[in-house]
Amino acid sequence: MSVGSFRNLLALPHLLVGSKMADMPSIYWSLNYWPVEADR
Amino acid sequence: MFMWPMGDRELIIDLLEALTSARVTHAFTIPGGVRNDVPYRFKEKALSQIGYLEKRLEEYEDIFYNNPLLRQRTEDVGILTKENAISLGVTGSVLRASGVPYDIRRAEPYDIYTEIDFKVQHMNKGDSFARSYVPFLDMQEACHILTQLLDKMPESGEVRAKLQPNPKGPAGESYKRVESGRGALGYYIVMMALQNLIE
């Protein structure tokens, strides 16, 4: 099974490199990550 | 602002409750079709709720997405380029926010999507704002799609085909995917010879 939440979370390390700490929440939430779906 | 969508969510839940008798976990789509027919005057009620939600989405756009504070904190932040989005294998609105107009409903049409007129909503910048705005555009497009689907819904007919329990078939494997709320949702199925479906 392949779900969007899990696949999109893989972009997080790439997006956080070089970003400000204050920008972390908006980057994380913009990925529309849903743990329940990723866990499937 | 965040409590207003919770109120509007009730309208959708009311429709689902009328349809499936459950508010959240529906178990309505089953092998062979759906569990029951739609209730009396469901189509009219659904069209009315969709019309209301379309107006509310316009208000949300003004209040939330045109908010200078939100824009300041999300524009030009966390940029994911088109090339990186493709190489990292992201999907759904995250991919479309990076300028890739890819939607499985258009690329590999399934069910009735060949007969539905819809746009693949996308943006080019790939920043946090684009990734939060594309789902909003998807919601607007979903209202447009739902209106078409309700218009195409037959007035009468069977809603469920009777299937044998424990489906069996020839040995083989299959991978099928659909476009879900967060992108590609895929299932890989393996059938062993003369045995039940294993996964």
Side-chain angles (χ1 to χ4, degrees):
Chain A
M1 188 175 175
S2 161
V3 295
S5 279
F6 186 76
R7 284 177 60 177
N8 290 341
L9 191 68
L10 299 178
L12 188 63
H14 173 83
L15 291 172
L16 291 181
V17 172
S19 297
K20 294 175 186 166
M21 283 289 281
D23 290 336
M24 280 179 68
S26 77
I27 292 173
Y28 174 78
W29 287 113
S30 72
L31 290 174
N32 204 8
Y33 176 69
W34 187 35
V36 177
E37 187 192 54
D39 201 34
R40 292 167 78 188
Chain B
M1 161 72 206
F2 289 104
M3 293 312 291
W4 294 355
M6 293 305 284
D8 292 341
R9 173 178 174 266
E10 285 298 315
L11 301 176
I12 299 167
I13 288 179
D14 283 349
L15 283 175
L16 291 169
E17 191 175 6
L19 186 63
T20 69
S21 304
R23 281 172 58 83
V24 180
T25 49
H26 312 294
F28 188 64
T29 308
I30 54 175
V34 292
R35 205 170 285 277
N36 294 308
D37 205 346
V38 295
Y40 178 64
R41 294 187 66 79
F42 178 81
K43 181 177 167 182
E44 288 78 9
K45 193 177 175 189
L47 284 171
S48 156
Q49 311 275 53
I50 290 165
Y52 172 79
L53 285 171
E54 279 179 320
K55 285 180 194 159
R56 290 289 278 177
L57 284 174
E58 287 172 17
E59 290 177 32
Y60 293 155
E61 184 176 25
D62 281 342
I63 296 166
F64 187 67
Y65 289 102
N66 292 335
N67 183 316
L69 190 62
L70 176 92
R71 286 192 168 245
Q72 211 172 26
R73 295 310 303 265
T74 55
E75 282 182 332
D76 299 320
V77 168
I79 293 176
L80 185 64
T81 61
K82 187 177 181 176
E83 293 73 27
N84 283 336
I86 294 169
S87 67
L88 287 165
V90 298
T91 178
S93 57
V94 176
L95 180 64
R96 292 196 292 276
S98 293
V100 186
Y102 185 84
D103 189 316
I104 294 170
R105 294 174 296 183
R106 179 62 52 79
E108 303 164 13
Y110 52 91
D111 293 343
I112 201 172
Y113 282 111
T114 48
E115 299 171 32
I116 300 293
D117 172 40
F118 68 97
K119 289 183 204 157
V120 177
Q121 299 287 3
H122 72 286
M123 292 178 82
N124 293 321
K125 216 166 177 184
D127 57 1
S128 287
F129 180 78
R131 283 192 294 275
S132 17
Y133 195 67
V134 168
F136 172 79
L137 297 174
D138 284 344
M139 279 192 282
Q140 286 184 321
E141 203 58 39
C143 290
H144 179 55
I145 292 172
L146 282 170
T147 307
Q148 292 179 65
L149 291 173
L150 286 164
D151 284 339
K152 285 177 184 289
M153 189 167 66
E155 291 296 327
S156 62
E158 292 294 320
V159 295
R160 178 182 180 182
K162 285 196 175 176
L163 300 177
Q164 295 293 326
N166 299 323
K168 294 182 176 70
E173 59 186 20
S174 173
Y175 179 74
K176 182 70 184 169
R177 58 186 186 160
V178 297
E179 186 75 25
S180 74
R182 288 173 177 77
L185 172 64
Y187 286 89
Y188 176 58
I189 296 174
V190 178
M191 182 84 82
M192 307 298 281
L194 300 175
Q195 288 179 14
N196 292 344
L197 202 65
I198 62 165
E199 190 175 352

